Amino acid sequence: MPIIHKRRQLLITAAGAAASSLIPVWALEKTPSMTEGPFYPRLADITLDDDNDLTRVKGKEGVARGTLLDLTGQVIDSGGKAAAGASVEIWQCNSHGRYHDARDVSSSPIDPFFQGFGKSVTDAGGRFRFRTIRPVAYPGRVPHIHFKVKSKAFRELTTQMFVAGDPGLEEDFIWRSLRGVDLKKQMASELKPAATTGGAALAGFFDIMLA
């Protein structure tokens, strides 16, 4: 089973795990490495609250602004096997387009209830789960979520997840660098209405194939 934060237990059900991949593992291309951007969290900007629910901050009663999203996926190693025990980190801007980072000097508002950064550890099936918000665009970039996958068993990978169907995709310089329809399909998560009543409005999947 994945590591579960004591304060907010986000469980991956067997049914949800079985349905997590939109693309068969055998059809996955190697997930490309991408820039981590200027706002990969520094130690000074990471609070002690860095679990897999980015929509609530320890000690505060509010919920992050934005459309709540349950994001699941699977990490597959270079041999086609589930990568168990891998650390998966995500970070993204808040619903106003501002990162939870002192280096982001945007005039956009800060959301005190958005964690901005989170961690999950893959279970025996290589699966991870986050609760976050639907990513939004900000000047120069389309909606995206940054990912960093770490393990002693393989080389660290930093990449980004996009949103399928976003009208600005072809204007994004990182998206345009992806070659091939199949790879673009793999790197863009199709966000759909959540099938459960767990509190999130949307659900999405993002699988990562290691080189």
Side-chain angles (χ1 to χ4, degrees):
M1 294 296 291
I3 289 179
I4 302 173
H5 195 282
K6 294 180 181 179
R7 180 166 53 85
R8 298 191 296 274
Q9 295 185 342
L10 291 179
L11 302 178
I12 300 176
T13 65
S20 67
S21 179
L22 295 179
I23 304 172
V25 169
W26 56 263
L28 287 175
E29 296 189 40
K30 306 301 183 185
T31 300
S33 176
M34 297 181 184
T35 175
E36 66 182 23
F39 300 127
Y40 176 68
R42 302 172 299 180
L43 184 60
D45 293 308
I46 299 176
T47 68
L48 294 177
D49 190 17
D50 61 359
D51 62 1
N52 65 339
D53 185 350
L54 283 68
T55 66
R56 293 181 180 273
V57 175
K58 185 177 181 179
K60 298 182 179 181
E61 296 298 322
V63 179
R65 293 182 179 275
T67 303
L68 299 192
L69 166 67
D70 277 345
L71 182 61
T72 60
Q74 188 176 32
V75 179
I76 306 298
D77 68 19
S78 57
K81 297 180 180 179
S87 171
V88 181
E89 302 174 352
I90 67 170
W91 66 101
Q92 66 186 102
C93 66
N94 66 24
S95 64
H96 306 294
R98 184 169 179 171
Y99 281 88
H100 182 73
D101 192 299
R103 294 166 294 181
D104 187 345
V105 294
S106 164
S107 61
S108 298
I110 293 172
D111 184 348
F113 305 118
F114 185 56
Q115 194 168 285
F117 171 83
K119 296 180 182 178
S120 181
V121 175
T122 58
D123 67 7
R127 296 175 293 261
F128 60 84
R129 179 174 179 177
F130 290 96
R131 173 160 291 177
T132 185
I133 61 170
R134 187 192 192 283
V136 302
Y138 56 85
R141 291 303 314 277
V142 293
H144 63 282
I145 296 177
H146 296 269
F147 277 76
K148 189 181 288 288
V149 185
K150 304 176 181 178
S151 172
K152 294 180 179 179
F154 53 79
R155 187 169 57 185
E156 179 181 294
L157 173 69
T158 301
T159 194
Q160 297 179 27
M161 183 201 88
F162 297 85
V163 176
D166 187 272
L169 281 175
E170 294 305 328
E171 303 301 319
D172 188 89
F173 69 101
I174 294 181
W175 174 261
R176 291 199 308 270
S177 72
L178 297 175
R179 301 304 179 199
V181 174
D182 289 341
L183 181 58
K184 286 186 172 182
K185 180 179 179 181
Q186 182 177 320
M187 299 303 294
S189 178
E190 187 175 355
L191 307 184
K192 296 183 177 181
T196 65
T197 57
L202 296 174
F205 310 106
F206 185 61
D207 293 330
I208 297 172
M209 174 67 82
L210 301 170

